[in-house]
Amino acid sequence: MSSPGFHMTPDEFRSAGHAMIDFIASYWEGLSDRPVLAQVAPGDVLAKLPEGPPDSPEAWGRIVADVDPVVMPGITHWQSPSFFAFFPANASPPAVLGELLSAGLGVNGMLWATSPAATELEIRMLDWVAQMLDLPPAFHHSRSGGAGGGVIQGTASEGTLVSMLAARRRAMNSGSVGGPLVAYTSTQAHSSIVKAAMIAGLAGHPDDRRQVRLIEVDRAFAMDPRRLEAAIETDRAAGATPFYVCATVGTTSSTAIDSVEAIGALSRRHGLWLHVDAAHSGAACICPEFRWMLAGIDAADSLCFNPHKWMLTNFDCDLLWTSDRASLTAALSITPEYLRNKATESGASAAIDFRDWQVPLGRRFRALKLWFVIRSYGVEGLRAFIREHVRLAAEFERWVRADERFEVAAPRTINLVCFRLKGEGEQADARNRALLEAVNSTGRAYLTHTVLPGVGYVLRMCIGGVQTREAHVRAAWDLLGEVAKRV
Ligand code: PLP
């Protein structure tokens, strides 16, 4: 339709767009005044929405006027300086502007030919971040001689899934698959590994352990490589085919670091694909002092990390590198006639069709926001951002240790402190649960919990917000101390 008034005019769009940016800027400015957790009950937002769509167009002003009363009460403020839950999901001004530009350009970069800039900017960004992490040449587009490289996925779950599919393809193509394929990870690994196995047909349900083994962890909650090797040997002796292991660099519960070095050595020895899930903690490895967490990465076949967690790039943006892109594309490439084109067939090294590196066909221009972020902050700026959060977490850990009511419940590696009120058994767990609920119900801070083996229920204080300063961390600690007196 092109009748007058059907679309916004460019001038109307300009003014609506400026107003929307104003709205976001004011939202960011006022974040510390809002309760962190959404203040609604299930169904409250639904009740404010008409059951059916409008037949006639509505004025833009009326639509936007509904955001405050309908949407905002149901928002949990992930960008609040007092959000300490889960892992962070940073949104920063350059990232949001990159997202907006990507939406405005509206391209689908499924093939090089469908937007060469989307593909080539992505190639360069993955190489930039590979340099920032000091990854070996095998993971770079420009240094691996076409054997490896990186790609943007939506999430770490997707990165892990496609790494498992690539590993399975490589195992099948090797001709050495005898019995059932078996994948390994630790009891502390993220649920996305078992989910990937469910999608790949290796597990019928989350507790199906016929083709997925969860290896026990050591006292620091890191995978025990001796137990891994024993499990591989037992499976092989029983006629199965071990094919894949996922090591976690920064587990979700406690940021425990599996030894990539030890697991890499034995995955080489036994011919397994090693995937490294550094979804959250990979961001810290842009700082040379934290790169020890990736020691031994040369032996890995793939690695993923999420700039959308702790590197100032709004959701979604997961980076996946592989040193074996042939196995990845062998698992995922299928070319119907309507996608054939000269650029692909030319085989030019820059003419990568990233559709062959992921599950969906279509893909957004996510490299733009990464480009804006890295250039706006510079590598030094991004490092300073990470270091400040780690410093604040160390400070928080010190306060916990100095208070005799509390204990630190797991070794702190970077920006996450696991802690709890002292005590053992169910009663202590219940007190800690009550403490967390009472703190969160104030709206003045938001923390989440986990259960650690051999410890029990623990609170997680993860410091990684764009606006979080020492005063916010201190206020959360004071609140915890105050509420602890009551539970
Ligand atoms: N892996 C780890 C270690 C995580 O902590 C998380 C999420 O917190 C994931 C994977 C899943 O991330 P995504 O939401 O990007 O799939």
Side-chain angles (χ1 to χ4, degrees):
M1 281 282 290
S2 57
S3 56
F6 187 74
H7 296 296
M8 282 184 191
T9 63
D11 276 341
E12 284 167 345
F13 176 69
R14 249 180 223 113
S15 104
H18 291 161
M20 187 60 78
I21 296 290
D22 279 346
F23 178 91
I24 298 171
S26 304
Y27 170 68
W28 285 344
E29 268 173 344
L31 267 170
S32 30
D33 302 330
R34 293 181 184 261
V36 190
L37 261 174
Q39 304 290 299
V40 290
D44 281 359
V45 180
L46 270 177
K48 292 184 187 163
L49 294 165
E51 281 183 17
D55 277 333
S56 320
E58 294 189 55
W60 179 251
R62 282 196 51 188
I63 302 170
V64 174
D66 280 346
V67 171
D68 257 324
V70 177
V71 176
M72 298 315 284
I75 293 294
T76 288
H77 301 286
W78 282 71
Q79 304 310 312
S80 162
S82 303
F83 183 100
F84 303 109
F86 305 108
F87 282 138
N90 294 163
S92 69
V96 170
L97 294 174
E99 189 75 68
L100 184 62
L101 179 57
S102 161
L105 296 176
V107 304
N108 177 341
M110 58 191 181
L111 305 169
W112 177 88
T114 59
S115 253
T119 298
E120 296 190 19
L121 192 61
E122 185 161 332
I123 292 173
R124 192 58 94 219
M125 286 310 101
L126 270 289
D127 273 9
W128 277 13
V129 185
Q131 288 171 48
M132 288 159 62
L133 298 175
D134 199 23
L135 296 183
F139 290 102
H140 294 241
H141 285 279
S142 58
R143 301 196 206 155
S144 63
V151 59
I152 302 182
Q153 306 275 331
T155 62
S157 303
E158 291 161 69
T160 295
L161 170 64
V162 298
S163 75
M164 193 179 285
L165 300 176
R168 179 170 65 181
R169 175 54 48 206
R170 185 165 81 185
M172 308 284 267
N173 286 356
S174 73
S176 59
V177 175
L181 292 167
V182 182
Y184 305 81
T185 194
S186 87
T187 55
Q188 290 294 297
H190 190 263
S191 56
S192 54
I193 321 309
V194 173
K195 188 165 182 173
M198 288 162 65
I199 298 168
L202 298 174
H205 53 81
D207 301 319
D208 181 355
R209 296 283 164 268
R210 284 171 298 177
Q211 290 178 260
V212 183
R213 309 266 181 262
L214 299 188
I215 305 299
E216 291 298 326
V217 292
D218 61 21
R219 287 173 55 191
F221 308 106
M223 191 190 318
D224 180 344
R226 281 166 312 169
R227 287 198 166 118
L228 171 64
E229 185 148 42
I232 292 172
E233 283 168 356
T234 306
D235 285 332
R236 222 186 262 301
T241 306
F243 81 109
Y244 177 88
V245 56
C246 173
T248 311
V249 166
T251 58
T252 314
S253 281
S254 71
T255 58
I257 311 293
D258 291 348
S259 168
V260 174
E261 197 136 43
I263 297 168
L266 68 90
S267 60
R268 283 260 167 105
R269 203 154 57 239
H270 293 277
L272 276 70
W273 179 293
L274 169 59
H275 175 64
V276 175
D277 173 6
H280 162 264
S281 305
C285 300
I286 66 171
C287 304
E289 67 272 29
F290 300 122
R291 294 224 182 100
W292 60 268
M293 298 193 289
L294 288 178
I297 193 67
D298 306 56
D301 297 281
S302 54
L303 158 75
C304 71
F305 117 78
N306 289 351
H308 74 221
K309 282 185 159 59
W310 191 23
M311 209 181 83
L312 291 166
T313 310
N314 66 297
F315 189 84
D316 54 353
C317 184
D318 166 79
L319 307 185
L320 172 77
W321 291 269
T322 180
S323 54
D324 180 2
R325 71 156 92 159
S327 294
L328 185 61
T329 55
L332 298 169
S333 181
I334 170 165
T335 306
E337 185 54 36
Y338 45 80
L339 294 179
R340 288 192 192 284
N341 66 87
K342 262 200 214 150
T344 302
E345 278 150 28
S346 75
S349 65
I352 293 177
D353 293 334
F354 277 127
R355 71 180 179 108
D356 294 332
W357 298 47
Q358 61 175 22
V359 172
L361 168 62
R363 57 201 325 275
R364 301 191 302 115
F365 192 172
R366 283 177 291 226
L368 265 179
K369 59 185 174 187
L370 200 52
W371 191 44
F372 286 4
V373 165
I374 297 172
R375 293 181 64 190
S376 294
Y377 293 96
V379 179
E380 274 310 328
L382 295 172
R383 286 180 181 145
F385 177 71
I386 299 278
R387 284 175 178 142
E388 176 60 3
H389 293 148
V390 177
R391 183 188 77 77
L392 292 176
E395 200 64 359
F396 185 88
E397 182 187 26
R398 211 166 49 76
W399 300 335
V400 174
R401 288 193 193 284
D403 188 321
E404 58 186 18
R405 293 170 297 172
F406 287 93
E407 64 188 358
V408 172
R412 180 190 59 81
T413 40
I414 35 176
N415 64 333
L416 172 69
V417 183
C418 290
F419 66 105
R420 56 185 258 127
L421 286 166
K422 285 178 185 163
E424 279 173 23
E426 275 174 30
Q427 235 184 349
D429 284 358
R431 283 179 61 228
N432 278 290
R433 196 175 299 116
L435 171 64
L436 182 70
E437 279 167 16
V439 163
N440 288 344
S441 71
T442 66
R444 286 155 56 196
Y446 180 30
L447 285 77
T448 46
H449 80 281
T450 192
V451 172
L452 289 172
V455 179
Y457 190 98
V458 307
L459 280 68
R460 294 169 75 264
M461 174 81 179
C462 187
I463 300 168
V466 175
Q467 296 189 13
T468 304
R469 305 284 176 271
E470 183 158 344
H472 304 106
V473 179
R474 185 75 225 185
W477 174 241
D478 290 345
L479 176 64
L480 281 155
E482 198 183 294
V483 175
K485 286 184 199 149
R486 283 189 265 126
V487 296

